[in-house]
Amino acid sequence: MIIWLNGAFGVGKTSTAKELTSLLPDSTLFDAEQVGYMLLHILGKPRRDFQDLPPWRGLVVETARQVLDHVGGTLIVPQTVLEKSYWREIRTGLAEAGIPLRHLLLDTDHDTLVERIQNDMDPESIGALQWRLDHLADYQRALPWLNREAEVVDTTYVSRARVAKLVAGLVQSG
């Protein structure tokens, strides 16, 4: 099974995923961005985002399939996907591979999201602060289809540890 945590850049997907791996037995964190970094090294920088490279989507599916075949259990994927066609390509690929999928959207109101981004002191995140803020409009544009295609988890007044517990509860209850 794959638990895909989608949402705006800076909403807390990675932090939630790390917490979630401690709550769900036999779960493994799969950072699909690493596939993108590999492709950047091989193919060079695309105009906009590595997700625009068709091999990224196919390799994410194939990597997930092979990792699951190797380790079993549940893969937790904290990855923002805001292009509907890209999401459908990934979802279809996972379905064709016979991999059950739970697509969860971690969401919060605009002001809370901006505050979280500006207060994120993780050394890996500080350099991406402006980039995250610059992509808030992309997230807003994607929200209509995301709300239809994912289970929404409102994180506005909830700690990341509590969000992970909520997600674990949703997954374990079916």
Side-chain angles (χ1 to χ4, degrees):
M1 170 194 266
I2 290 180
I3 301 169
W4 195 290
L5 301 177
N6 206 341
F9 301 105
V11 75
K13 296 177 304 295
T14 301
S15 299
T16 298
K18 289 175 182 174
E19 288 275 339
L20 196 53
T21 59
S22 69
L23 298 173
L24 295 177
D26 300 322
S27 64
T28 303
L29 182 63
F30 170 43
D31 185 352
E33 262 186 36
Q34 296 303 318
V35 174
Y37 296 144
M38 177 193 68
L39 287 173
L40 291 177
H41 177 71
I42 297 167
L43 302 175
K45 188 174 173 142
R47 284 188 328 210
R48 203 174 57 99
D49 188 281
F50 59 72
Q51 290 184 13
D52 296 332
L53 299 168
W56 179 79
R57 300 179 299 278
L59 285 170
V60 165
V61 170
E62 183 58 20
T63 304
R65 186 190 67 74
Q66 290 206 22
V67 169
L68 277 173
D69 285 349
H70 182 70
V71 300
T74 300
L75 283 186
I76 301 170
V77 183
Q79 181 67 47
T80 300
V81 178
L82 301 179
E83 294 291 332
K84 186 177 183 179
S85 63
Y86 296 176
W87 172 251
R88 290 201 169 156
E89 186 178 337
I90 291 166
R91 184 189 67 198
T92 300
L94 294 172
E96 288 172 354
I99 301 170
L101 172 68
R102 293 291 293 268
H103 181 204
L104 293 115
L105 176 66
L106 304 186
D107 188 43
T108 189
D109 66 79
H110 179 81
D111 291 342
T112 300
L113 182 57
V114 169
E115 181 180 324
R116 286 180 186 170
I117 292 169
Q118 290 175 334
N119 292 323
D120 188 349
M121 291 298 128
D122 181 340
E124 292 181 25
S125 301
I126 291 173
L129 185 143
Q130 189 58 50
W131 189 88
R132 289 174 174 187
L133 292 171
D134 291 345
H135 286 81
L136 291 177
D138 295 334
Y139 177 68
Q140 289 300 314
R141 279 190 294 278
L143 260 178
W145 76 262
L146 284 168
N147 281 317
R148 288 189 303 274
E149 301 226 1
E151 298 172 72
V152 179
V153 178
D154 185 353
T155 69
T156 304
Y157 300 108
V158 186
S159 70
R160 290 179 182 168
R162 181 73 185 127
V163 170
K165 288 178 184 173
L166 289 170
V167 169
L170 284 171
V171 171
Q172 291 168 334
S173 69

